[in-house]
Amino acid sequence: MLSPVKKDRKITHLPKYFCPNAALHTKDSFHPQVKAVCEAQKTGTVNYNIAKVIVVGDVAVGKTCLISRFRKGVFDKNYKATIGVDFEMERFEVLGVPFSLQLWDTAGQERFKCIASTYYRGAQAIIVVFDLSSESSLAHARQWLEDAMKENDPSSVLLFLVGTKKDLSSPEHLHQIEQEAIKLSEEIKAEYWAVSAKSGDGVKDFFFRVASLTFEASVLSELEKSGSRHGDIIRLTDNTEANHTPMKEKSKCC
Ligand code: GDP
Ligand code: MG
């Protein structure tokens, strides 16, 4: 039997974006229909469960440290994913509903740029990681995304662009590389975050945001499907599209 979800993995409010210029959306609460469905879940009528999240980016940008910082709460340089397992399961509860992220880390294949298509296939979210202290890793981000997208449907995948090793950058350098990263995020319609696995800065907030937006998108997509199948289940309103389309509100932040 599954153990209960840890107290610190319970999400009761939509977590805030990192930067409004590069957010998937900037609403401050979950979609009303998602909230309604989660209420219904409390009576056992719906079940949204697992989302596949793939993590890509150049070798040594800090993908594995990022995942292990979130999973274990420490900076673990020697962390290795469990041998023979492609992903680690991270369990959450969103608005009272159990929800898990399958976090797919590479086992070093990115060194040879020959990641198997099974790794990429069927992702609900793609996290493209770059190192904030390495311009070249940001320059390669687009190629990682293109490779990952070949195996996925662009309309149903949420994209995140994450700069790691924030602790290594001076404020001036950080500002400069962030401008480029935000520009790229706008182009590829990704949500931008800057984090440090070493200090832990932003890591938990980031994964909570990934879990929340992925959960919201999968509930809405299930509703849409079941609505068109039966016609009797809540149909999504016309503004659903707008709710999903990345909003680019200009602001002075970041
Ligand atoms: P991966 O190849 O992308 O999985 O990269 P790793 O997670 O193995 O990290 C590569 C190197 O970067 C290791 O030496 C880590 O100690 C270091 N590293 C990872 N994250 C951080 C961070 O946030 N800050 C600093 N200073 N070093 C980091
Ligand atoms: Mg690794």
Side-chain angles (χ1 to χ4, degrees), residues 59-60 62-65 79 105-108 110:
V59 68
K63 301 180 295 298
T64 301
C65 287
Y79 178 82
D105 189 11
T106 70
E110 78 277 36

Side-chain angles (χ1 to χ4, degrees), residues 152-240:
N152 284 290
D153 169 7
S155 67
S156 64
V157 180
L158 301 183
L159 302 180
F160 295 86
L161 178 67
V162 185
T164 55
K165 309 193 191 181
K166 197 177 171 184
D167 58 286
L168 291 181
S169 291
S170 66
E172 297 73 38
H173 181 257
L174 191 61
H175 179 75
Q176 192 202 324
I177 196 159
E178 279 203 319
Q179 296 312 304
E180 286 170 48
I182 289 168
K183 206 167 128 219
L184 176 62
S185 293
E186 287 177 330
E187 279 171 38
I188 63 178
K189 300 196 186 340
E191 178 157 308
Y192 169 71
W193 280 74
V195 302
S196 165
K198 189 168 186 180
S199 69
D201 185 9
V203 173
K204 186 176 171 195
D205 292 340
F206 167 63
F207 280 104
F208 270 42
R209 181 82 176 159
V210 173
S212 300
L213 293 185
T214 311
F215 175 79
E216 185 175 60
S218 59
V219 173
L220 288 171
S221 130
E222 279 304 310
L223 273 176
E224 204 161 16
K225 275 192 242 156
S226 57
S228 56
R229 262 203 316 269
H230 308 296
D232 55 351
I233 302 177
I234 330 167
R235 271 211 80 88
L236 297 180
T237 50
D238 286 347
N239 65 1
T240 306

Side-chain angles (χ1 to χ4, degrees), residues 65-193:
C65 287
L66 176 65
I67 294 171
S68 75
R69 160 59 86 171
F70 179 62
R71 288 182 52 77
K72 298 163 64 176
V74 289
F75 181 54
D76 183 353
K77 286 193 273 191
N78 301 314
Y79 178 82
K80 290 268 176 307
T82 318
I83 308 284
V85 175
D86 297 319
F87 58 82
E88 306 268 9
M89 201 68 106
E90 192 60 40
R91 296 174 60 217
F92 295 85
E93 198 180 280
V94 188
L95 299 177
V97 178
F99 182 66
S100 297
L101 293 184
Q102 266 184 4
L103 294 171
W104 287 61
D105 189 11
T106 70
Q109 309 95 308
E110 78 277 36
R111 206 174 286 277
F112 311 104
K113 302 212 163 42
C114 61
I115 295 182
S117 55
T118 46
Y119 178 88
Y120 290 131
R121 201 167 298 145
Q124 270 89 31
I126 298 174
I127 300 176
V128 184
V129 182
F130 72 98
D131 174 348
L132 286 162
S133 61
S134 155
E135 266 88 8
S136 66
S137 70
L138 176 59
H140 298 155
R142 195 191 287 272
Q143 187 59 50
W144 282 112
L145 178 64
E146 275 173 23
D147 290 352
M149 285 316 274
K150 280 183 202 144
E151 302 289 334
N152 284 290
D153 169 7
S155 67
S156 64
V157 180
L158 301 183
L159 302 180
F160 295 86
L161 178 67
V162 185
T164 55
K165 309 193 191 181
K166 197 177 171 184
D167 58 286
L168 291 181
S169 291
S170 66
E172 297 73 38
H173 181 257
L174 191 61
H175 179 75
Q176 192 202 324
I177 196 159
E178 279 203 319
Q179 296 312 304
E180 286 170 48
I182 289 168
K183 206 167 128 219
L184 176 62
S185 293
E186 287 177 330
E187 279 171 38
I188 63 178
K189 300 196 186 340
E191 178 157 308
Y192 169 71
W193 280 74

